[in-house]
Amino acid sequence: MTPALWTVWVLGSVISLLKEGASDQASSLSCDPTGVCDGHSRSFNSIPSGLTAAVKSLDLSSNEITYVSNSDLRRCVNLRTLRLGANEIHTVEEDSFFSLRSLEYLDLSYNRLSNLSSSWFRSLSALKFLNLLGNLYKTLGERSLFSHLPNLRILKVGNSNSFTEIQEKDFAGLTLLEKLEINAPNLQTYAPKSLKSIQNISHLILHLKQPILLLEIFVDILSSLECLELRDTNLNTFHFSGVSINETNTSIKKFTFRNVQITDESFIEVVKLFNYVSGVLEVEFDDCTHDGVGDFRTLTLDTIKYLGDVETLTIRKLHIPQFFLYHDLSNIYSLTGKVKRITIENSKVFLVPCLLSQHLKSLEYLDLSENLMSEETLKNSACEHAWPFLKTLVLRQNRLKSLENTGEILLTLQNLTNLDISKNNFHSMPETCQWPGKMKYLNLSSTRIQSLTRCIPQTLEILDISNNNLDSFSLILPELKELYISRNKLKTLPDASFLPVLLVMRISRNIINTFSKEQLDSFQKLKTLEAGGNSFICSCDFLSFTQGQQALAQVLIDWPEDYLCDSPSPVRGQRVQDTRLSPSECHRAAVVSAVCCALFLLLLLVGILCHRFHGLWYMKMMWAWLQAKRKPRKAPRRDICYDAFVSYSERDSYWVENLMVQELEHFNPPFKLCLHKRDFIPGKWIIDNIIDSIEKSHKTIFVLSENFVKSEWCKYELDFSHFRLFDENNDAAILILLEPIEKKAIPQRFCKLRKIMNTKTYLEWPTDEMQQEGFWLNLRAAIKS
């Protein structure tokens, strides 16, 4: 192969590989039918090819894209959202976004763009959101970037390293912004009036490491800004220089300081700055550090001229290194006269001085969540005449331990209606408590209480006792409208008669296994019920009720997603709405009744068959056979006591006792006979007597007659002989026919007896006296044999 051909082959292979890579990228881009395409974190190194007008939202963030050409997005004429953040883009061609006239959201943040071009945004007149944070540019370009963006509402610019200059033309053309975020911790130059060109800014976020240019920026935004948020700034060296501020019509309503450091001295300088702003209603400090001890003695009434109008003060995660040296803040009491809402969260507050509480005469809302308040310090804070107009008090996650003491301490707050004391460790609840008379809302969630008592005020309209250890609810609350009792151990819904005006109940994540239409109907005014996450037994009645009530979905706000079957096991985990049971499970009573009837009929049939085919006889014979099996099959010779055991009917006793006994026992030598009348052992079970007598006799004589066949005890004797003698095939049985018997009179079950009578000679008692002597001779011979 020549070098030229080799080069062509290599280039062809490379192009083929690039095409295959592009094809693989396109195939990994997932789009839904509405035109939303997700390519987030797919390792793309370029914008996928094949994008069409059907794409309305495209997310290619967190990839490895380095270049955007003017043909990549040309066909995406209906694109509204484009996310290209967190890539490696260093170049965007001039007309890359030219066809995106419907684009409303563009994110180019955290790439490697060192130069910004106004031509990118020339046709984006519909754009509302633009994020250029975290790129490598030093300025926002030589020309105004945003002059063609009249509808822009949210703009984010700057970076944490190289962005050092704000020019006067940078924000030209912008008239109304809901939010402007400028990340410029290393800002070195600010051209006056750079932000003044924006007629109205609802929310300005400034990331400034040092406050050097803060005053110059502040002057430009006084009349156009509503909320100023300062982030990541060290105000320890801030000094108000008395710069000339001519603006009298200021619009700033809120100041927010986030992750800001401040000292006692710099706080006073900030207050001086506020003095030029009339109408500030809200001040917020979030995750700030105060390197001081609260020594504000140099504050004067002139200094705090306008700051006294603040109505809302919010402090979250305030760090005070010298916390235990802090002053009582008496120097700023004059600032508190008009404050209506105060929130101090997670700032290690353990006490509000009584004098400060008494100065908060307009306070209506106080939130001291996640602090160190206890009953002892709360008593000092809620002293006499403290917080006279307070309506809402939040003491969530403090160190309160006694409900009784807490309620008694708060009796001084006569206008208190809402109390949140959740996430404290009360554990138990006393039988009775005292509370302010106007209480309407009480939050006792996550306090580990195990039972409820009359300590709960009867005036409540809203009660939250969720996430506790309650297993029942039996309180009568005649005015309660909302009950939150989720994440407990309740097995049933509360009794509706206790809550006559209840409108809302949230009782999810308990151990309730069912509820019925009657129970829900008993809550006559209930509009909202949240009962999902329980262990529902999906019985036929429950399924019929929940699936058959169309209006139920309007009451159950978490239906059907959170309603799952816990049993029976075949449907465990299924949604109640989708569960179907077999007819046998839904008509169990009918099935049980049918089975019982079938069993009864079967038993009746078995009884009839037993009677017809002598089943009872076979059972008795089985028992006799089992008794006989316990004894030796054949008695030893030394145990033979009688020559013969005589089995006869009581009605034939005259013949046996007066004829046969006389002829045999008075013969020489005499025969010893066993008769049940004289030889059976008194008190012994008759079956055992029969068995023992037969086993101890050399022969067994059966005196057969009509009376014999009808005798119950003769049947037992014959039955045992049927097992013991006939089954052994011996000649121990002697049959005497006392009178003629028809063979059909012998029960069919004695089949061997009938067979023996057909094959074996038996003795017949002759009615002729001349023949009777021969009968006795034959009988004696049979016994001796």
Side-chain angles (χ1 to χ4, degrees):
M1 183 180 292
T2 63
L5 290 175
W6 174 262
T7 303
V8 172
W9 182 81
V10 170
L11 289 175
S13 300
V14 171
I15 293 172
S16 176
L17 288 173
L18 289 175
K19 288 183 177 179
E20 289 179 3
S23 177
D24 290 342
Q25 287 186 3
S27 63
S28 63
L29 184 67
S30 57
C31 300
D32 65 18
T34 62
V36 177
C37 296
D38 182 15
H40 175 80
S41 299
R42 304 290 175 89
S43 299
F44 290 127
N45 51 37
S46 63
I47 294 178
S49 59
L51 299 175
T52 66
V55 179
K56 295 182 179 179
S57 175
L58 179 61
D59 185 356
L60 295 173
S61 57
S62 300
N63 284 289
E64 300 172 5
I65 300 172
T66 59
Y67 192 90
V68 180
S69 71
N70 54 20
S71 61
D72 287 339
L73 301 167
R74 180 172 297 173
R75 300 177 63 187
C76 301
V77 293
N78 295 315
L79 193 65
R80 293 175 178 266
T81 300
L82 177 59
R83 302 177 188 271
L84 292 171
N87 278 279
E88 300 291 332
I89 300 173
H90 55 75
T91 302
V92 178
E93 292 189 356
E94 291 293 313
D95 296 327
S96 296
F97 307 135
F98 181 77
S99 61
L100 308 182
R101 299 182 183 276
S102 299
L103 193 67
E104 298 179 354
Y105 186 106
L106 176 60
D107 184 359
L108 291 168
S109 62
Y110 300 100
N111 282 285
R112 304 185 64 81
L113 296 170
S114 57
N115 294 294
L116 304 178
S117 173
S118 61
S119 63
W120 299 346
F121 314 116
R122 188 168 48 203
S123 63
L124 305 183
S125 58
L127 197 66
K128 297 180 180 179
F129 177 97
L130 176 59
N131 188 352
L132 297 171
L133 288 172
N135 283 279
L136 303 179
Y137 51 82
K138 296 182 179 180
T139 67
L140 296 179
E142 298 179 358
R143 297 182 181 180
S144 177
L145 290 175
F146 316 117
S147 58
H148 301 289
L149 305 175
N151 292 305
L152 196 64
R153 291 296 178 264
I154 299 176
L155 174 62
K156 299 183 179 185
V157 297
N159 56 64
S160 57
N161 295 311
S162 58
F163 187 65
T164 58
E165 182 179 355
I166 296 179
Q167 306 167 83
E168 185 176 355
K169 51 79 186 171
D170 283 347
F171 301 101
L174 297 175
T175 55
L176 298 173
L177 281 180
E178 295 175 2
K179 180 185 287 187
L180 171 61
E181 182 173 353
I182 302 176
N183 186 11
N186 295 317
L187 187 66
Q188 298 175 4
T189 304
Y190 174 79
K193 299 183 180 180
S194 296
L195 289 172
K196 197 175 184 64
S197 61
I198 306 176
Q199 296 178 6
N200 189 14
I201 308 175
S202 297
H203 187 185
L204 173 62
I205 302 174
L206 289 176
H207 298 257
L208 296 176
K209 185 179 296 183
Q210 298 296 332
I212 300 172
L213 300 173
L214 179 59
L215 284 176
E216 297 179 35
I217 297 174
F218 186 72
V219 169
D220 283 352
I221 60 177
L222 271 177
S223 60
S224 61
L225 184 66
E226 293 185 9
C227 174
L228 174 61
E229 182 175 334
L230 196 62
R231 291 187 181 181
D232 310 319
T233 307
N234 188 337
L235 291 175
N236 290 350
T237 59
F238 177 69
H239 179 70
F240 182 72
S241 61
V243 101
S244 176
I245 299 177
N246 299 321
E247 295 288 347
T248 57
N249 186 22
T250 59
S251 59
I252 297 181
K253 304 298 181 183
K254 180 179 179 180
F255 283 100
T256 299
F257 300 89
R258 209 174 301 278
N259 192 24
V260 167
Q261 290 181 297
I262 195 168
T263 63
D264 291 345
E265 293 76 14
S266 59
F267 176 77
I268 295 173
E269 297 298 316
V270 171
V271 171
K272 291 179 182 178
L273 180 65
F274 290 165
N275 197 36
Y276 287 87
V277 183
S278 61
V280 175
L281 300 177
E282 184 174 355
V283 178
E284 179 180 356
F285 295 89
D286 188 0
D287 199 16
C288 296
T289 300
H290 183 194
D291 292 322
V293 294
D295 184 7
F296 306 125
R297 286 175 293 180
T298 58
L299 281 176
T300 63
L301 290 176
D302 292 337
T303 309
I304 58 177
K305 174 181 177 183
Y306 291 125
L307 196 57
D309 295 334
V310 173
E311 295 182 351
T312 302
L313 173 63
T314 303
I315 299 174
R316 295 188 180 92
K317 295 183 181 180
L318 179 63
H319 306 278
I320 306 176
Q322 303 179 68
F323 178 72
F324 292 102
L325 297 176
Y326 219 69
H327 288 205
D328 62 0
L329 302 178
S330 57
N331 299 109
I332 62 171
Y333 286 176
S334 55
L335 292 174
T336 63
K338 295 182 180 180
V339 178
K340 294 181 178 180
R341 298 174 60 89
I342 294 180
T343 298
I344 306 178
E345 290 184 2
N346 197 9
S347 301
K348 298 183 179 179
V349 174
F350 64 90
L351 174 68
V352 179
C354 176
L355 191 58
L356 175 57
S357 297
Q358 291 171 343
H359 274 81
L360 294 169
K361 297 183 181 298
S362 301
L363 192 65
E364 298 177 359
Y365 179 95
L366 176 60
D367 185 349
L368 296 173
S369 300
E370 301 179 47
N371 285 294
L372 306 175
M373 298 292 292
S374 64
E375 284 85 352
E376 292 76 11
T377 57
L378 180 61
K379 186 174 182 179
N380 185 282
S381 302
C383 58
E384 194 71 26
H385 305 301
W387 310 324
F389 293 101
L390 188 67
K391 295 180 179 178
T392 300
L393 175 61
V394 181
L395 294 170
R396 182 180 65 254
Q397 198 169 335
N398 276 270
R399 296 187 175 181
L400 304 176
K401 296 181 179 179
S402 171
L403 269 177
E404 185 176 12
N405 293 341
T406 300
E408 187 175 351
I409 290 168
L410 298 179
L411 288 175
T412 57
L413 309 179
Q414 298 180 2
N415 290 304
L416 187 69
T417 57
N418 303 327
L419 176 62
D420 183 349
I421 47 178
S422 60
K423 294 189 177 180
N424 284 281
N425 293 321
F426 294 118
H427 295 283
S428 61
M429 182 178 292
E431 285 299 319
T432 58
C433 299
Q434 291 180 298
W435 299 98
K438 296 182 180 180
M439 285 270 293
K440 299 296 182 183
Y441 170 85
L442 177 61
N443 190 339
L444 283 171
S445 62
S446 303
T447 54
R448 302 183 183 179
I449 55 176
Q450 298 181 356
S451 61
L452 300 177
T453 68
R454 290 179 295 173
C455 173
I456 302 294
Q458 296 285 297
T459 58
L460 289 183
E461 294 182 359
I462 302 174
L463 174 62
D464 188 344
I465 45 177
S466 56
N467 196 27
N468 283 298
N469 296 315
L470 303 174
D471 57 12
S472 63
F473 184 94
S474 56
L475 286 180
I476 299 176
L477 298 173
E479 299 181 27
L480 196 69
K481 296 179 180 179
E482 299 181 22
L483 175 62
Y484 302 91
I485 195 170
S486 299
R487 299 188 302 279
N488 279 283
K489 299 178 181 179
L490 272 69
K491 298 180 181 179
T492 60
L493 297 181
D495 192 329
S497 62
F498 298 157
L499 308 166
V501 297
L502 193 67
L503 298 175
V504 176
M505 178 164 59
R506 299 181 185 269
I507 196 168
S508 59
R509 303 196 181 195
N510 280 269
I511 54 175
I512 296 171
N513 53 41
T514 189
F515 54 85
S516 64
K517 182 178 185 300
E518 291 72 20
Q519 283 180 300
L520 289 189
D521 290 345
S522 62
F523 293 93
Q524 298 181 358
K525 297 187 177 182
L526 190 66
K527 302 297 182 184
T528 300
L529 174 62
E530 181 185 279
N534 281 288
S535 304
F536 292 111
I537 297 175
C538 288
S539 63
C540 298
D541 291 340
F542 182 68
L543 293 178
S544 175
F545 159 54
T546 53
Q547 296 173 2
Q549 297 287 329
Q550 297 296 331
L552 194 62
Q554 300 176 1
V555 177
L556 300 178
I557 59 173
D558 52 346
W559 174 268
E561 288 77 12
D562 293 340
Y563 291 77
L564 304 179
C565 295
D566 185 65
S567 63
S569 55
V571 297
R572 180 173 297 160
Q574 292 185 16
R575 293 198 312 180
V576 173
Q577 184 187 47
D578 304 329
T579 301
R580 299 292 183 272
L581 296 179
S582 63
S584 62
E585 292 176 295
C586 288
H587 303 285
R588 186 163 296 174
V591 172
V592 170
S593 299
V595 170
C596 290
C597 290
L599 287 175
F600 175 76
L601 293 174
L602 180 60
L603 291 174
L604 184 61
L605 179 61
V606 169
I608 294 172
L609 292 175
C610 284
H611 179 74
R612 176 66 179 84
F613 296 103
H614 313 291
L616 185 60
W617 176 85
Y618 284 108
M619 292 176 63
K620 291 178 180 178
M621 288 305 300
M622 180 62 71
W623 175 250
W625 180 80
L626 291 173
Q627 291 293 320
K629 288 290 287 183
R630 294 185 303 168
K631 300 184 179 183
R633 191 163 184 81
K634 192 170 183 181
R637 191 68 187 171
R638 64 177 181 272
D639 293 338
I640 300 299
C641 302
Y642 305 100
D643 290 299
F645 168 71
V646 183
S647 176
Y648 61 96
S649 170
E650 185 65 31
R651 294 184 179 182
D652 297 327
S653 60
Y654 177 82
W655 184 88
V656 174
E657 296 170 4
N658 292 288
L659 295 179
M660 188 174 70
V661 171
Q662 294 297 325
E663 289 291 335
L664 296 179
E665 289 191 347
H666 293 88
F667 185 76
N668 188 16
F671 291 92
K672 189 175 182 181
L673 301 179
C674 179
L675 304 178
H676 66 267
K677 273 189 175 182
R678 68 182 187 192
D679 296 314
F680 277 11
I681 300 174
K684 192 174 183 180
W685 190 31
I686 191 168
I687 296 295
D688 286 340
N689 270 318
I690 294 172
I691 293 173
D692 291 343
S693 298
I694 293 175
E695 289 183 342
K696 293 180 179 181
S697 301
H698 178 59
K699 297 288 186 179
T700 301
I701 300 173
F702 292 97
V703 181
L704 302 179
S705 67
E706 293 289 346
N707 296 325
F708 183 96
V709 173
K710 296 177 181 178
S711 172
E712 182 70 23
W713 295 115
C714 290
K715 286 182 183 179
Y716 280 118
E717 295 164 359
L718 196 58
D719 290 344
F720 181 73
S721 296
H722 185 268
F723 277 116
R724 192 72 172 180
L725 304 175
F726 300 155
D727 286 353
E728 295 177 2
N729 295 318
N730 58 27
D731 296 325
I734 301 173
L735 306 180
I736 297 176
L737 194 60
L738 196 60
E739 60 185 5
I741 303 175
E742 295 183 8
K743 292 182 180 178
K744 63 179 182 181
I746 301 175
Q748 292 289 336
R749 59 184 178 273
F750 300 123
C751 54
K752 288 191 176 182
L753 177 60
R754 293 166 61 86
K755 183 179 179 181
I756 291 172
M757 290 184 70
N758 288 330
T759 59
K760 184 177 180 180
T761 304
Y762 48 84
L763 302 175
E764 289 189 51
W765 173 248
T767 56
D768 186 359
E769 292 183 5
M770 298 296 295
Q771 298 177 2
Q772 289 178 1
E773 184 62 31
F775 169 83
W776 296 119
L777 287 174
N778 292 333
L779 178 57
R780 293 187 194 103
I783 295 174
K784 288 179 180 181
S785 62

